[in-house]
Amino acid sequence: MKRTVKMLLSLSLATVPALAACSKTDGSGGKPAATGTGTTGKQETGATKTAPEKYDPPIELKTVNYSFSTTKFADGEDINNNIWTRTILEKYGIKVNTQWYVPETEYPKKTNLMIASGELPDFFAATPQQFRQLYEAGQLEDMTKVYNDFAPESVKKVMQEAGETVLKSATIDGKLLAIPWSGVAKESPAILWIRKDWKEKLGLPDPKTIDDLYAIADAFTKKDPDGNGKDDTFGLAMDKELSMASGLMNGFGAYTGFISGSYTDFWIKDASGSLAYSEIQPQMKQALTKLSDMYKAGHFDPEFIVKDNNKVYESIGSGKIGMMIGGRGTANYPLITLTPNQEWQPYPMPTVDGKPFKAQLPLNVFGYYWVVKKGAKHPEALFKLMDFWLQTFYYNKSDEVYNKFLVPASAVWTYSPVKIYLPDISIENYRKGIAFEEGKVKREDLTPNQRAMIDKMNLYKGGKKDLWGEVAQSGPGGSAAIIDLIIKEDRFVPNQFYTTPTATMAERNEQLKKLRNETFVKIVTGNLGLDAFDKYVADWKKQGGDIITKEVNDWYATQKK
C-alpha cells in the first residue's frame, strides 16, 4: 500500500504544500472547530473529554520516524530539534523524542527489528502486517475509549470522510487498536492524459470508449504525430508491471491490485454475495485481450517489459509517447516536469461500453497505522499531535505559518511526528477555486495553497504557458473536475476486504504476485496465448488462492453480523 516518495511529493505539494506523496484545508468543506496554528484561545476540539491544553510539567513521547528524499534540515537542527518539535513542546508541553530516523525505504525493516527486540516507543507508524503482529502479541493499547473521549472533531471528521472501512480496518474483536494513517484514495481515480498537439494535429475526437482509445493509440503510433518522418512514436505509456494499465482494466470492470507502483489484494462481491479475488474474474481476461491487441499493433514501447515507471517517464520526456493513464496530479508530475512546453489534456477514462467510468477504491489507508504501545502513560496525547498537523498542514490560512511549517523546498512539513491525510483535499481545492472565481469565496478565506493555485492559473491565462499543468489539474474541465463528478455520483467500486492480511496472504502473496505478473505480461506480449489466463486462475487457486478466499470470506461473515 505504500506509495513512492515522488508520488507523495506530488500529492502534498500539489495540494497543501506537500507530500503529494500525499496531497491529500478544507477537505472537510470548512475549518474545523479547533483553533488553528498561530491563534490564541482555548481549542474547542469537539471531544467528549479534554486533555490538558498544555501538559505541565511537560511529558515525553518516544517514537521512530522516516525521512523523505527531499527532507532537509537547517544548520544545527535535526528531527528532534526543529520548528515542529519546538512548537509542539511550547504549545502543548509535549516533548517528542524520535529514537531513530531512517530513509523511508529502510523503515519497514528497521521497525521489524525493533518489534522483534520488544523495545517499543510510545507510538509509531506500523505496516498492516506489523499491526496484526503487535495485536497478536498483545502489545497494543486499546484506543476505543481514548478515541471516543479525546479525539478532537478535526480527527474524527477526517476518519469519517476517509470512509467507514478505514476505522473498521483498525478494529479487531470490537476494539479500536490503532488510528489509521488515512489516505487520498477518493481523489485518485484513473485519468487519461493525451498530448494536445498530437491530438489536434491528427484531428482526433475525444475518447468515449475503449475502442476510441485504441483508435487514438493507433494514430499516434502510425501517423507520425511528431512529424519527423520516422516510425518512432507510441500510443500509450506502459510499464513492466502493467500498473499503468489499471485504469484501462477498470474500463472493462476489471480491478487490479497494482496501482501507482504498489500492490494490494482487491476483493469484490460476486453474484452470490461472497467476496471474490478481482484479478481472476472474466473481465480481467477481456482487458488483457485488448492490451494484447494493442501490443501487437505497436501501441506500446516493446521495451516496456523491462521499464519501471521512471524509465517510462524518460520516454515521455523524449517526446515518444502520446497518451498516459495516470491520476489527478499527473500533469504536475511527471508531465509538466518532462514536457513543460507540450500541453496534455485530461479525459475521463473510457469504458468498453461507453457508460460512465467506475473507479476502483482501495482501502483509504496510506500504508500505515498509528499504534500506541500497551501501557503508554498518555495515549490521548497522540491526538494533540494529529490535531496540530491538521490545523497547520491543511486548515491554516496564514502565509507566515505556511512559510514556517510547510515550505515545500526543504520539505519542512515532513518534520511533523504524525501525519494523516484528508481524503479529497485536491478536489476541495478545486471546488474552492471555482467558488472564488464565481465570487462566492473571498481571497482571505482561502489557504495559501489555494491562493497559489489560483495565481498560477491566472499567470497561465496571462501567457505563462509553462504553467499549463495547474489549469489541466485544477481548472474547469481539468482532472479535479473529472474526479469531483465521480465523487458526487459515487462511481466507485470499493475493495471489500479492509482488514490486515490473512495468515495465508502473508505467507503466499509474494509468490502469487509473481505468478500474476509473469502471466499477465506474457499474455500481453503474446508469449502466452489468452488461454493462459484460465491456467493462471487454476494455478492461483492451487497455490493458496482457495485458502485465502476461504479466510477472506470467514472474516467477511463476521462483518455482516
Side-chain angles (χ1 to χ4, degrees):
M1 282 180 99
K2 235 164 129 181
R3 306 302 197 263
T4 60
V5 172
K6 285 183 178 176
M7 190 178 169
L8 285 174
L9 285 171
S10 68
L11 174 56
S12 57
L13 286 171
T15 68
V16 180
L19 174 201
C22 292
S23 132
K24 317 103 271 260
T25 228
D26 280 17
S28 62
K31 187 173 179 179
T35 304
T37 301
T39 64
T40 60
K42 185 177 180 179
Q43 293 200 8
E44 298 298 331
T45 66
T48 305
K49 294 184 179 179
T50 304
E53 185 157 338
K54 181 176 181 179
Y55 292 94
D56 186 16
I59 63 172
E60 180 182 71
L61 293 183
K62 294 179 180 179
T63 189
V64 296
N65 206 338
Y66 65 77
S67 65
F68 298 96
S69 60
T70 53
T71 302
K72 301 174 185 176
F73 290 103
D75 289 345
E77 294 194 344
D78 55 37
I79 193 60
N80 284 315
N81 176 27
N82 56 69
I83 186 63
W84 283 83
T85 57
R86 291 192 297 269
T87 304
I88 289 170
L89 178 59
E90 178 183 353
K91 187 177 181 67
Y92 300 113
I94 300 173
K95 178 179 176 58
V96 179
N97 179 358
T98 301
Q99 297 178 297
W100 51 256
Y101 187 59
V102 297
E104 181 192 15
T105 54
E106 299 176 21
Y107 183 79
K109 181 179 179 180
K110 184 80 170 177
T111 46
N112 279 337
L113 293 173
M114 178 186 74
I115 292 170
S117 75
E119 295 295 324
L120 301 182
D122 295 302
F123 75 91
F124 67 100
T127 67
Q129 191 61 42
Q130 291 167 347
F131 171 40
R132 167 64 67 170
Q133 179 182 352
L134 290 164
Y135 157 71
E136 292 177 347
Q139 294 180 297
L140 297 178
E141 182 72 10
D142 182 355
M143 297 294 286
T144 311
K145 184 172 174 53
V146 181
Y147 180 84
N148 291 333
D149 289 350
F150 295 101
E153 189 61 30
S154 60
V155 174
K156 290 181 177 178
K157 197 172 187 67
V158 170
M159 293 300 146
Q160 179 183 12
E161 293 180 352
E164 65 175 355
T165 58
V166 171
L167 273 184
K168 281 185 177 181
S169 74
T171 303
I172 305 177
D173 294 334
K175 297 178 181 179
L176 181 65
L177 295 170
I179 307 302
W181 184 334
S182 53
V184 292
K186 282 188 175 180
E187 66 172 34
S188 304
I191 297 290
L192 177 63
W193 292 88
I194 304 179
R195 271 191 62 158
K196 180 180 179 181
D197 58 333
W198 285 14
K199 183 174 178 290
E200 292 180 347
K201 178 181 178 179
L202 299 180
L204 301 172
D206 294 349
K208 304 293 184 184
T209 66
I210 298 294
D211 285 343
D212 295 338
L213 184 153
Y214 182 100
I216 295 172
D218 205 56
F220 285 173
T221 301
K222 300 174 181 177
K223 294 187 177 181
D224 192 25
D226 60 357
N228 68 354
K230 299 178 181 180
D231 182 17
D232 61 353
T233 56
F234 304 101
L236 183 66
M238 193 55 59
D239 67 295
K240 65 181 182 180
E241 293 179 329
L242 302 179
S243 68
M244 290 183 174
S246 61
L248 186 147
M249 292 173 177
N250 291 176
F252 280 90
Y255 302 96
T256 173
F258 265 103
I259 307 175
S260 303
S262 63
Y263 185 86
T264 182
D265 284 353
F266 201 90
W267 294 79
I268 59 175
K269 287 184 183 179
D270 64 16
S272 70
S274 298
L275 298 193
Y277 184 56
S278 61
E279 291 195 326
I280 62 172
Q281 304 308 311
Q283 294 88 341
M284 184 60 73
K285 186 175 183 178
Q286 296 171 15
L288 291 173
T289 300
K290 179 59 69 173
L291 289 168
S292 180
D293 290 343
M294 295 182 75
Y295 178 82
K296 291 173 186 174
H299 298 174
F300 309 149
D301 179 349
E303 296 182 358
F304 88 86
I305 58 175
V306 295
K307 291 188 174 183
D308 60 14
N309 285 12
N310 289 329
K311 285 296 182 181
V312 178
Y313 294 163
E314 291 177 8
S315 297
I316 293 173
S318 63
K320 301 302 181 185
I321 295 176
M323 285 191 293
M324 175 183 176
I325 299 172
R328 181 209 60 83
T330 294
N332 183 61
Y333 184 84
L335 296 180
I336 203 166
T337 303
L338 300 170
T339 62
N341 300 315
Q342 298 295 338
E343 294 190 28
W344 294 63
Q345 292 179 316
Y347 295 87
M349 275 304 305
T351 58
V352 67
D353 56 9
K355 293 180 180 179
F357 175 76
K358 290 186 177 181
Q360 65 183 86
L361 183 65
L363 176 63
N364 202 5
V365 174
F366 198 77
Y368 293 101
Y369 290 84
W370 293 103
V371 297
V372 176
K373 179 179 68 173
K374 188 176 183 65
K377 292 183 179 179
H378 293 282
E380 79 287 346
L382 177 65
F383 296 118
K384 291 281 190 182
L385 303 183
M386 287 184 172
D387 188 55
F388 181 62
W389 159 262
L390 291 171
Q391 304 304 331
T392 306
F393 189 80
Y394 287 114
Y395 301 118
N396 161 65
K397 295 174 182 176
S398 162
D399 288 325
E400 179 184 1
V401 170
Y402 178 88
N403 291 329
K404 277 185 179 181
F405 291 88
L406 306 175
V407 186
S410 57
V412 173
W413 62 272
T414 66
Y415 303 170
S416 175
V418 173
K419 305 170 189 70
I420 56 176
Y421 298 125
L422 298 187
D424 61 352
I425 179 59
S426 298
I427 311 307
E428 181 60 24
N429 286 346
Y430 154 75
R431 295 168 186 151
K432 281 297 179 71
I434 295 297
F436 176 77
E437 291 297 315
E438 294 175 348
K440 298 177 180 178
V441 175
K442 296 179 181 180
R443 186 175 176 87
E444 57 266 30
D445 294 328
L446 303 174
T447 66
N449 194 68
Q450 291 165 352
R451 292 194 290 268
M453 174 190 75
I454 291 169
D455 290 344
K456 288 179 182 178
M457 288 195 287
N458 287 334
L459 286 171
Y460 171 81
K461 296 173 185 177
K464 193 166 176 51
K465 296 304 180 183
D466 60 348
L467 293 176
W468 61 266
E470 202 66 52
V471 176
Q473 292 178 172
S474 304
S479 56
I482 294 170
I483 296 173
D484 187 32
L485 187 60
I486 292 175
I487 292 173
K488 288 177 178 176
E489 296 180 351
D490 193 26
R491 286 191 273 117
F492 290 105
V493 176
N495 190 348
Q496 298 291 337
F497 184 72
Y498 50 81
T499 188
T500 54
T502 70
T504 309
M505 280 182 185
E507 178 185 347
R508 303 283 183 86
N509 261 8
E510 284 302 314
Q511 172 187 337
L512 294 175
K513 184 171 70 173
K514 181 179 179 182
L515 173 67
R516 177 263 191 207
N517 287 359
E518 292 178 352
T519 303
F520 283 17
V521 170
K522 286 180 179 179
I523 289 174
V524 171
T525 58
N527 290 318
L528 288 176
L530 293 173
D531 58 351
F533 180 81
D534 302 319
K535 185 177 185 303
Y536 156 72
V537 173
D539 288 345
W540 181 86
K541 292 180 176 181
K542 291 176 183 177
Q543 294 180 26
D546 277 343
I547 299 174
I548 292 173
T549 300
K550 183 181 185 305
E551 292 172 341
V552 166
N553 279 286
D554 286 347
W555 163 84
Y556 188 53
T558 68
Q559 304 307 301
K560 295 187 289 185
K561 292 180 180 179

